[in-house]
Amino acid sequence: MNRSLCHHLLAHCKSLRELERIHARAVTHGLHPCNQSISCKLFRCYADFGRPTEARKLFREIPQPDLVSLTSLVSLHLQLNQHHDAMSLFSRVVAAGHRPDGFSVVGALSAAGGAGDLRVGESVHGLILRCALGSELVVGNALVDMYSRCGRFEGALGVFEEMDLKDEVTWGTMLHGYIKCVGVVSALSFFDQMPMKSAVSWTALITGHVQAKSPIRAIELFGRMVLEGHSPTHVTIVGVLSACADIGSLDLGRVIHGYGSKFNISTNIIVSNALMDMYAKSGSIEMAFAVFEEVPLKDAFTWTTMISSFTVQGDGSKALELFGDMLRSGVSPNSVTFISVLSACSHAGLIRQGRELFARMRGIYNISPQLEHYGCMVDLLGRGGLLEEAEAMIYDMDVEPDTVIWRSLLSACLVHGNDRLAEIAGQEIIKREPGDDGVYVLLWNIYASSDRWKEALDMRKQMLTRKIFKKPGCSWIEVDGGVHEFLVEDKAHDARREIYETLEGIDRQLKMDLRLFQLKENSLAYTDGEILC
């Protein structure tokens, strides 16, 4: 085999097995590692086939790798989320005297953005200006992305406004910057001004609203997207299903399910997981399980989603039974799976099983407990009245306890009447979240019920000093496929006049019925009195 034939075979290589045969023949005929171009091409093929171990091993065998191969190794590090390794390699490339091209600086900017390292990102930006690479469209897009991911909105906007040429990627990347750095309200204003709107940008805006806890607006945007003729991707469907799950909109979730099935999107395993989550959170565990059973190849996320669904429905025994089925199927549980099963134990009051699972997680599966696992255990012990053991676990944790864990302990203390621990937990929450109105009210009630009026008054003073007021309650209702949001003393709803008139009518009717009932009772009492006389 000569060099030309080897290049031809590598260019048309279709499988890993075929690549390994070409690799072996290249070594046999002295083409690797003696011929740099062949060696670099072999490395890039291994990288393209997603074989990082083999690619790195082969890269170390190349005497003088070219810039393209070095850039490919940077890309490989990025695929493996090894951002610091990618930045370090790029630094060595520049230090070795290689003049970077557009592709190599894009890799470096992606690494800086992924690591959130603004200092490195700005250094690469300076290098781009010195090498006159800033006019390349792909470089400009990468700069906007890097500044956005590092939280430097002004830098992203500055690069964006200086770009003479902008494509769909440019506008979409800037939209991501608005969503991440400024918020969805400003992002929506920017989106409405965009001359190019792709399914990707629509999806970014929809998922951004879901993450910003604005599910109703996310659903409205999905309706706009479809009406304007854009075809949603499976990521879009997942985002809209998450919005339906957040507000418990079962009817709308079914419509989205049907829409996804029409375009064959529902067969995607990520969409199936989102469907299961939506049906479970909307109260239809039967439909969630039906979707689960239709998934042919269940991965850890599929099993975990269904286990979590039974947990949310309060069926801890079924969740543990399904966990056993998962282990028997040969799928290994992950960290999130253990959060679900530990939570199931907590909801079902299965203290012994919870302790055993926590021990197995550490001892058999080598999963280090995170805050969420400790939170489940504290909740489990707290619900079982083992408050001192829960307190001891908090102080023995490998990580700093957050407000969720202290709230869990506080709730258990209120149920079991342990004012001492409740006060400790409440004060810890205030330290971490001084704006949490609910904790002040709970502590005030604890102090007042114990006649500790000085401490109760101090709580009230703290609320006034910090200008903390009780947040209004919020609820959603679905009518004819439309979702309506209501706040306490709401004055913003379009139909507020009719709603308040109806409520006043109901109130008058109730008062009238109450008076009629009282008159009837008095009449019966008077009649009974006459009979007794």
Side-chain angles (χ1 to χ4, degrees), residues 55-76:
R56 278 196 292 256
K57 181 177 181 296
L58 194 141
F59 186 85
R60 287 191 290 269
E61 297 170 359
I62 303 174
Q64 291 182 317
D66 59 12
L67 181 62
V68 176
S69 296
L70 288 163
T71 303
S72 296
L73 185 58
V74 169
S75 300
L76 185 61

Side-chain angles (χ1 to χ4, degrees), residues 90 99-102 104-110 120-136 138-144 146-147 159:
F90 180 77
R99 180 182 172 83
D101 60 6
S104 60
V105 295
V106 166
L109 289 170
S110 297
V120 170
E122 288 177 331
S123 298
V124 177
H125 191 178
L127 182 64
I128 288 167
L129 295 175
R130 289 195 297 275
C131 295
L133 298 170
S135 60
E136 294 186 29
V138 67
V139 173
N141 292 344
L143 279 167
V144 173
M146 181 276 294
Y147 280 117
V159 173

